[in-house]
Amino acid sequence: MVARTTKRTYTLKLGGKHNYPTLKQLELLMALIQSDGISSAGAKLGMSPSATSHALRALETALGAPLIDRSAPGAPLTYSGEQILPLVKEVFAALQLMKSIARSDAELKTGQLHIGSFGASGTLRALPPLLRAFRHKHPGVDVHIVEKPEDQTSLDLMEHRIELAVVPLPKLELETRTLAMDELVAVLPCEHPLAKEDIVQLKELMQYPFLLTRAGSKPLIYRLLLKHDIKPRIAHELHQITSILHYVAQGDGVSILARLALPDAIPGVVYKPLTPTTQRYIALACQNSNRLSPVARAFWNEAKIKTN
């Protein structure tokens, strides 16, 4: 007996019923690019493995082409899938725009706006003056700040999950409006020998055990150290700024942090200007200001007023 193999074929039909992908199927395709496999992508959407597999097959049948390379590790997109993905993103961008328009009237008496932020410098320093001015003009609009690491905040913006975000520059792929300038400073115990200096030398600071942040300013610190060919003696790597400040106050080491991310005063800790140092600019960003919802456009324009 000769074994027979079957090959799935895809035919794109232009008429009839149930020939277009559902939003759930398109959402699954979006989830795939952020997952390590088909099952994990479906799990993010609360779908069982069988439901996930069925939805993908139905999507491929509706579009008339295989979208997933099931023979490769991680099930990456095929060429057709890669070409379709930008169009899928546009679908969800249009849906977000429709929802925003439907929830707010021309005078912005009501509405909702979600703004991403990458950390304390943006959330606690750059955003509050802008938020106060916007809420004074539009008290009926609910503004929600969503704080995540910088790379995730930028991804949320690029994937149309949010319309606006506060990010560190440069972001050449985005439209931006600068909100604030930040710089790195030395963070020392009050009794530290360098605490008496008006300006702390970077090379002298690096002679002591170093507490490295894993938060938003980590890439900026690495670039500074790399530029001056300095390798710190890392004692601890900590994500929370409050943890770093607590360790510094105990005398467990010194640190370098972004000035805008720091509270005004902490017992047992001093901040000192650093030389050489480096600066960064923090900005409000969007993908395309001409396609913002009315609520997001009003906030974007408020940023223009504040920065002029």
Side-chain angles (χ1 to χ4, degrees):
M1 180 180 292
V2 178
R4 292 186 177 182
T5 60
T6 59
K7 183 177 181 181
R8 181 177 290 271
T9 60
Y10 299 88
T11 303
L12 181 60
K13 299 178 181 179
L14 298 181
K17 192 176 181 181
H18 304 307
N19 289 326
Y20 294 104
T22 67
L23 290 178
K24 192 70 171 181
Q25 292 166 358
L26 296 180
E27 190 177 11
L28 179 57
L29 185 64
M30 293 275 285
L32 273 167
I33 64 174
Q34 301 175 44
S35 307
D36 56 6
I38 295 174
S39 295
S40 60
K44 288 183 178 180
L45 303 179
M47 301 171 65
S48 67
S50 60
T52 301
S53 179
H54 177 77
L56 276 177
R57 292 294 187 189
L59 176 61
E60 291 173 323
T61 299
L63 294 178
L67 306 178
I68 306 299
D69 185 354
R70 292 169 173 78
S71 64
L77 298 182
T78 62
Y79 175 79
S80 295
E82 293 285 357
Q83 298 302 305
I84 289 170
L85 185 60
L87 301 178
V88 176
K89 293 178 181 179
E90 289 294 326
V91 169
F92 284 99
L95 287 172
Q96 182 64 38
L97 184 58
M98 285 189 289
K99 287 172 62 178
S100 297
I101 292 173
R103 291 176 179 174
S104 61
D105 60 24
E107 296 180 359
L108 298 181
K109 292 179 180 179
T110 62
Q112 289 190 352
L113 177 63
H114 291 78
I115 301 175
S117 181
F118 70 99
S121 296
T123 307
L124 300 181
R125 303 290 184 171
L127 267 177
L130 194 53
L131 285 170
R132 286 193 294 270
F134 181 81
R135 284 170 173 157
H136 178 74
K137 294 180 180 178
H138 310 290
V141 176
D142 294 326
V143 181
H144 305 276
I145 307 303
V146 183
E147 188 176 85
K148 296 181 181 181
E150 177 191 342
D151 56 348
Q152 187 61 56
T153 295
S154 297
L155 182 61
D156 284 349
L157 191 61
M158 296 300 295
E159 300 291 352
H160 302 289
R161 283 184 283 274
I162 52 177
E163 292 187 86
L164 299 172
V166 177
V167 296
L169 297 178
K171 293 289 182 184
L172 300 181
E173 71 278 16
L174 300 171
E175 288 188 48
T176 59
R177 283 185 171 158
T178 302
L179 300 178
M181 187 274 287
D182 201 1
E183 64 179 347
L184 297 178
V185 296
V187 182
L188 304 157
C190 286
E191 302 302 322
H192 195 279
L194 295 179
K196 298 178 182 179
E197 302 291 333
D198 293 331
I199 300 177
V200 174
Q201 296 288 330
L202 177 62
K203 289 187 176 181
E204 291 185 14
L205 184 68
M206 291 300 99
Q207 295 175 11
Y208 298 91
F210 187 62
L211 307 176
L212 177 65
T213 177
R214 296 180 63 86
S217 55
K218 181 179 178 179
L220 196 65
I221 295 168
Y222 266 135
R223 287 197 293 270
L224 175 65
L225 298 176
L226 183 63
K227 179 180 179 180
H228 298 283
D229 195 25
I230 296 175
K231 295 182 179 180
R233 293 190 291 128
I234 299 176
H236 305 292
E237 294 187 46
L238 305 171
H239 185 79
Q240 299 294 333
I241 290 177
T242 52
S243 300
I244 294 175
L245 295 174
H246 180 75
Y247 274 57
V248 170
Q250 292 183 151
D252 290 338
V254 300
S255 189
I256 297 174
L257 294 170
R259 182 63 185 90
L260 292 183
L262 294 169
D264 292 332
I266 290 291
V269 177
V270 295
Y271 314 137
K272 291 289 181 176
L274 186 66
T275 185
T277 187
T278 189
Q279 297 176 337
R280 68 175 176 184
Y281 290 88
I282 298 171
L284 186 68
C286 70
Q287 280 209 57
N288 186 340
S289 60
N290 292 323
R291 300 190 61 182
L292 292 174
S293 67
V295 172
R297 183 183 297 278
F299 197 91
W300 181 257
N301 290 337
E302 190 63 40
K304 181 178 181 180
I305 295 172
K306 287 293 180 182
T307 54
N308 284 344

